[in-house]
Amino acid sequence: TALSCFISFSFQQRIEIHKLRQGDNLILGFSIGGGIDQDPTQNPFSEDKTDKGIYVTRVTEGGPAEVAGLQIGDKIMQVNGWDMTMVTHDQARKRLTKRNEEVVRLLVTRQSLQKAVQQSMMS
Amino acid sequence: MSAAMDTESTYSGYSHYSGHSKKTHRQGRDRHKSPRSKDGSRSEKSVTIQTPPAEPLLGNDASRAEEGQDDNWGETTTAITGTSEHSISQEDIARISKDLEDSVGLDCKRYLGLTVAAVLGLLVFLTPIAFILLPQILWRDDLEPCGTVCEGLFISVAFKLLILLIGTWALFFRQPKADLPRVFVFRALLLVLIFLFVFSYWLFYGVRILDSKDTNYQGIVQYAVSLVDALLFIHYLAIVLLELRQLQPMFTVKVVRSTDGESRYYSLGHLSIQRAALVVLENYYRDFTVYNPALLTASKSRATKHMAGLKVYNVDGPGNNASGQSRAMIAAAARRRDSSHNELYYEEADHERRVKKRRARLVVAVEEAFTHIKRLQAEEQQKAPGEMMDPREAAQAIFPSMARALQKYLRTTRQQQYHSMESILQHLSFCITNNMTPKAFLERYLNPGPTLQYDRDRWFSKQWTLVSEEAVTSGLQDGIVFVLKCLDFSLVVNVKKIPFIKLSEEFIDPKSHKFVLRLQSETSV
C-alpha cells in the first residue's frame, strides 16, 4: 500500500495555463464539471462514481488549456495551491476565473497515465 | 279463389306477417307455402304446443277437414316436408315431454314443504295466546287476581307477537323463486328446532299447569312471555343462518359455458352447492350472451372435415382392432399437411369485413329513417290534427326503409331467429316514444345481449340439472367442480377460495417527504 500511495502520487501532473484575454474576460479554454453539490453518478470520466471532484469535460481547440497540455477527463486536484477536491461547482469556477490572476497552475491527475504506468510496472 | 292462391308460390316474408302476427286462420295460404329451410326464413318458428288448433302439427287431417275453408287443398297443396314451418323436430318432442313430467313431481314436493311450514307457523303463533287464555277458560274462579302486572305483561306479549309477525312476514313470506333438488338444510333445521321447542313448552304446560290447575296466573302469563321472547330469539337465529351468513364473500367461482367458452367470475359466501348453483343461474340469465346454436356450425363443419379424408382398411384379416385403428387415424391426421388454418383465417377476416359493411349500411339506413319522424309538441297537436300518428303507426311508417338493411345484418350475424318483425316494430315504437336516438335503437341488434332480453321461446335453457360429485347440500369448498346441464349446453363451475390476506401497515410521516436537486452542470472557464 505504501508503494501504491507513492505510485498514485506520482501520477499527478502539473499544468501551467496562461490565460487568454478576450475582450473584457480572461479565458482558459476548457469546461469543468463536478463538485460536492453535484450528482457524481452522472460523471462520465470518473472511475469511482462517488467521486465529487472537479473534472475537465471539454477542452477548446487551440485554446490556452490545450496548448498547456490539459486533456479531457483530467481531474483537477489543486488550482494555484487551493484544494479542488472538496469544493462546490461554483467555488471551483470562482477559483479558476479570478480576474487578477493571469497564470493558473493546476495539479491534475489522469487515468490514462495511471493505467500506462500500471501496465509497465506489471510487465 | 284457389287459382289465385295457387300462383302465390313465393312471396316476401313481410307481406305474410300482417296475417301471421295476428294469428288469423288463413290456413289456405299457409298450406301453399313452399318448404323453406330453417335458417333462411325470418318468420316465427311456431313449434310450441299452444298454437291455436287451426295450425296443426304434422299430418293432422281431421282438424283441417273440420274447418272446411278450402275444399280443394288436396289438389293444390305442395308437399309439406319435415322442415316446413309447422313441424316440430325430435328435440322439441323430447323437451316438451320432459317439461310435462317434471312439473308434476316437483310441485307436490314444494307444496308439501310449504304447508308443513305454514301449519307449524300458525301453531307457534297461537301457542302463547292459548297459554294465556286456557286458564281463564278452564278454571277462571280459582285464579288469583292479578292486576296491573298482568295487564302490563299482556301488552308486552301483544307487541312482541306483533313484532314476530312482521318479522316472519318480512323474512319468510316470499315467492319461492326456484325449485332446488334437495331440501334446504338450514330451513329444515330451524323448523325442527321450533317444533321441538314448542313441543317441550306444551309438554311442561300440560303437565305442570293444566293437570295441577295452577292458580298463580301471573306465573302462567310470565311463562307465556318467556315463550314469546324465546321465539323472537329463534327468529334472530333464523336471520343469521339464512340471510347473514352467506353475505361475506369467501369463494370466487368461475363459470364457463361449454359450447363457446364464455366465462365469468362471481363472488359467493358460505353457501351449499345447490344454492350456489342457484346464484350462478340467476346471474347467467343476466350476464352471459344468449346461446346461439347457429354460431357453432362453423367449428362443427371444420371438425368433420378433419377426419373425413381418412378411411381405415384392415388388410391383415378380420381382427377388430378398434383402438389400433383410431390411433392410426390420429397419427395420419397429424402428419397430413392440411391448410385448414389458412381457411379459417381468411374466412374469419372475410366474415368480419362483411359484418362491418352491413353494419355501416344498417346504421346509415336507420339514421335516415329516424330523420323522417318528428315529435309534435302539445301546441302543435291542435293545429295539424290530420296527420298525427301514434308511436305504433309512426314505427310502421318508417320501418320499411330500414327493414332490408336490418334483415341482412341479422342474417350475417346469425341472429335472425331472435328477432321477429313484430318484436322489431314494438322496439321501434318504444324507442320513438322515449325519444331515443338511432344508435340507442340499434344497440339491441348490433350485439347479442343477455338471455333475458329475448323471448322465452328462444332461450334454449329452461330446465337445469345439477351434476355434482359431492352432496348438493354440502357447503362450498376450495376446488369443487360442479356442472349445470341443460338440454343443449352446460355450465362448468369451478370454485376457488379467496386467499387469506395478510395486511400490514406502514406509517409515513408527512414531514418526511424531502427532495434534493441532482445536477450535473458544466461551466466553461
Side-chain angles (χ1 to χ4, degrees):
Chain A
T1 48
L3 192 63
S4 62
C5 285
F6 180 78
I7 289 170
S8 63
F9 191 80
S10 68
F11 287 165
Q12 292 167 343
Q13 198 177 347
R14 292 189 185 277
I15 292 180
E16 191 173 297
I17 305 178
H18 297 260
K19 292 188 189 178
L20 181 67
R21 180 161 292 276
Q22 245 186 25
D24 206 24
N25 302 323
L26 285 168
I27 63 162
L28 289 156
F30 67 95
S31 301
I32 55 165
I36 53 175
D37 57 339
Q38 303 284 307
D39 181 10
T41 58
Q42 293 184 37
N43 190 342
F45 306 109
S46 59
E47 219 175 75
D48 177 13
K49 290 301 171 192
T50 57
D51 184 6
K52 295 186 176 181
I54 306 292
Y55 280 78
V56 175
T57 55
R58 236 185 322 142
V59 178
T60 54
E61 281 203 8
E66 196 188 17
V67 163
L70 192 64
Q71 286 181 17
I72 183 173
D74 288 352
K75 178 177 174 181
I76 302 176
M77 312 290 285
Q78 284 180 11
V79 171
N80 284 346
W82 292 98
D83 171 55
M84 298 287 264
T85 55
M86 277 285 147
V87 293
T88 66
H89 190 85
D90 209 39
Q91 283 171 346
R93 181 190 59 81
K94 280 186 190 153
R95 292 207 186 133
L96 283 166
T97 53
K98 289 205 155 68
R99 294 182 78 90
N100 50 0
E101 287 174 355
E102 291 231 356
V103 177
V104 284
R105 292 183 179 85
L106 310 177
L107 182 66
V108 302
T109 174
R110 195 173 292 161
Q111 273 185 17
S112 51
L113 216 59
Q114 277 180 352
K115 285 201 181 112
V117 177
Q118 261 177 4
Q119 277 167 7
S120 65
M121 289 204 62
M122 281 196 258
S123 60
Chain B
M1 179 175 79
S2 61
M5 289 189 184
D6 202 9
T7 55
E8 288 180 68
S9 51
T10 56
Y11 52 93
S12 79
Y14 305 119
S15 58
H16 167 65
Y17 269 110
S18 44
H20 200 83
S21 61
K22 295 181 211 142
K23 295 240 185 265
T24 53
H25 307 315
R26 303 186 196 167
Q27 301 92 345
R29 280 183 68 181
D30 291 343
R31 295 227 182 83
H32 287 247
K33 261 195 299 246
S34 47
R36 290 171 184 233
S37 65
K38 271 188 193 170
D39 276 0
S41 81
R42 285 201 63 227
S43 43
E44 285 180 84
K45 190 172 189 302
S46 51
V47 297
T48 56
I49 291 183
Q50 56 262 31
T51 50
E55 290 176 312
L57 305 175
L58 275 175
N60 195 352
D61 294 288
S63 58
R64 272 192 249 162
E66 277 161 17
E67 262 72 43
Q69 281 215 2
D70 186 8
D71 296 330
N72 292 334
W73 67 266
E75 284 101 42
T76 47
T77 280
T78 57
I80 299 180
T81 68
T83 56
S84 78
E85 285 180 21
H86 297 291
S87 67
I88 54 173
S89 61
Q90 192 60 30
E91 251 180 27
D92 294 324
I93 292 177
R95 211 175 289 156
I96 291 162
S97 58
K98 201 162 185 266
D99 280 340
L100 280 176
E101 66 192 24
D102 285 330
S103 57
V104 172
L106 286 171
D107 273 353
C108 278
K109 203 174 81 175
R110 200 201 307 173
Y111 287 137
L112 185 69
L114 277 177
T115 43
V116 164
V119 164
L120 192 64
L122 203 60
L123 202 69
V124 161
F125 189 73
L126 293 176
T127 302
I129 304 176
F131 282 2
I132 294 175
L133 288 180
L134 276 175
Q136 296 271 4
I137 297 170
L138 292 178
W139 61 92
R140 183 184 213 132
D141 309 317
D142 300 331
L143 284 175
E144 289 167 10
C146 168
T148 26
V149 179
C150 276
E151 281 158 17
L153 287 175
F154 288 154
I155 292 178
S156 90
V157 163
F159 275 107
K160 281 181 188 163
L161 277 179
L162 181 69
I163 291 173
L164 194 62
L165 189 68
I166 295 177
T168 313
W169 169 81
L171 192 61
F172 296 118
F173 285 27
R174 275 185 258 179
Q175 289 271 4
K177 52 182 178 172
D179 259 334
L180 297 177
R182 300 266 171 190
V183 84
F184 190 172
V185 170
F186 282 140
R187 245 182 239 168
L189 261 165
L190 276 168
L191 285 178
V192 167
L193 179 68
I194 291 178
F195 175 71
L196 283 174
F197 177 72
V198 172
F199 181 72
S200 61
Y201 260 72
W202 268 109
L203 202 63
F204 183 86
Y205 189 77
V207 166
R208 288 297 192 83
I209 297 179
L210 282 182
D211 275 352
S212 62
K213 292 209 190 300
D214 195 4
T215 56
N216 180 8
Y217 192 52
Q218 187 181 337
I220 296 174
V221 177
Q222 272 177 340
Y223 184 67
V225 172
S226 79
L227 171 67
V228 181
D229 286 339
L231 283 177
L232 278 173
F233 284 129
I234 291 187
H235 186 77
Y236 156 76
L237 188 68
I239 294 179
V240 164
L241 277 182
L242 298 180
E243 304 283 320
L244 288 183
R245 187 167 171 261
Q246 72 258 27
L247 287 181
Q248 200 181 41
M250 294 287 300
F251 299 98
T252 308
V253 300
K254 175 173 182 180
V255 185
V256 183
R257 186 158 57 186
S258 64
T259 49
D260 58 359
E262 188 168 341
S263 65
R264 291 272 187 285
Y265 287 87
Y266 299 113
S267 281
L268 297 177
H270 274 296
L271 288 172
S272 60
I273 292 185
Q274 59 181 3
R275 287 178 75 197
L278 187 63
V279 171
V280 165
L281 282 179
E282 284 166 4
N283 285 323
Y284 167 79
Y285 283 111
R286 183 197 57 182
D287 290 330
F288 278 71
T289 59
V290 67
Y291 167 70
N292 196 347
L295 292 172
L296 305 168
T297 50
S299 55
K300 280 188 194 154
S301 65
R302 272 203 302 278
T304 52
K305 261 196 273 178
H306 281 310
M307 293 305 219
L310 299 172
K311 268 187 78 100
V312 178
Y313 293 99
N314 204 342
V315 290
D316 291 329
N320 189 12
N321 191 1
S323 67
Q325 275 185 9
S326 45
R327 245 181 263 140
M329 277 186 83
I330 294 172
R335 260 180 264 129
R336 183 175 63 166
R337 281 182 54 190
D338 71 74
S339 56
S340 53
H341 58 276
N342 229 1
E343 264 177 51
L344 174 64
Y345 169 69
Y346 283 115
E347 198 182 297
E348 279 193 350
D350 199 35
H351 178 77
E352 238 184 78
R353 222 171 2 106
R354 246 184 308 143
V355 166
K356 281 194 183 148
K357 230 199 231 174
R358 293 252 165 110
R359 181 199 163 119
R361 281 202 197 134
L362 174 63
V363 169
V364 163
V366 172
E367 281 175 0
E368 210 195 297
F370 267 65
T371 57
H372 298 312
I373 293 269
K374 188 170 114 63
R375 178 177 276 267
L376 272 184
Q377 303 302 322
E379 317 82 51
E380 297 167 354
Q381 278 179 16
Q382 286 99 24
K383 289 185 208 157
E387 300 156 0
M388 285 199 301
M389 295 187 281
D390 67 357
R392 171 92 192 173
E393 289 163 8
Q396 276 170 338
I398 60 172
F399 180 67
S401 58
M402 68 167 88
R404 199 175 156 77
L406 185 58
Q407 179 196 13
K408 282 202 158 154
Y409 181 80
L410 289 180
R411 277 227 185 112
T412 315
T413 53
R414 303 215 184 95
Q415 285 178 292
Q416 71 267 23
Q417 303 105 306
Y418 291 96
H419 303 286
S420 66
M421 190 173 103
E422 179 57 33
S423 76
I424 298 177
L425 274 174
Q426 249 174 12
H427 187 236
L428 186 54
S429 58
F430 170 78
C431 290
I432 291 176
T433 318
N434 292 307
N435 291 325
M436 292 209 200
T437 59
K439 201 162 175 194
F441 164 71
L442 279 177
E443 164 267 337
R444 182 187 254 227
Y445 304 108
L446 289 180
N447 299 309
T451 317
L452 281 175
Q453 190 177 300
Y454 299 99
D455 196 22
R456 283 197 86 121
D457 300 332
R458 291 270 138 228
W459 278 5
F460 286 102
S461 55
K462 284 181 248 185
Q463 184 80 10
W464 294 90
T465 315
L466 176 54
V467 178
S468 153
E469 287 161 19
E470 315 264 334
V472 296
T473 48
S474 64
L476 286 179
Q477 306 267 342
D478 187 31
I480 282 187
V481 175
F482 58 93
V483 178
L484 286 158
K485 260 200 326 204
C486 81
L487 216 54
D488 300 295
F489 60 95
S490 53
L491 296 173
V492 181
V493 181
N494 203 343
V495 179
K496 282 198 174 33
K497 197 166 155 68
I498 294 180
F500 181 75
I501 297 174
K502 236 177 132 101
L503 200 59
S504 57
E505 77 160 297
E506 186 183 325
F507 174 70
I508 294 185
D509 186 4
K511 294 199 202 104
S512 68
H513 299 293
K514 300 275 180 233
F515 295 92
V516 286
L517 276 179
R518 292 173 80 83
L519 305 167
Q520 186 63 20
S521 20
E522 193 186 355
T523 323
S524 57
V525 293

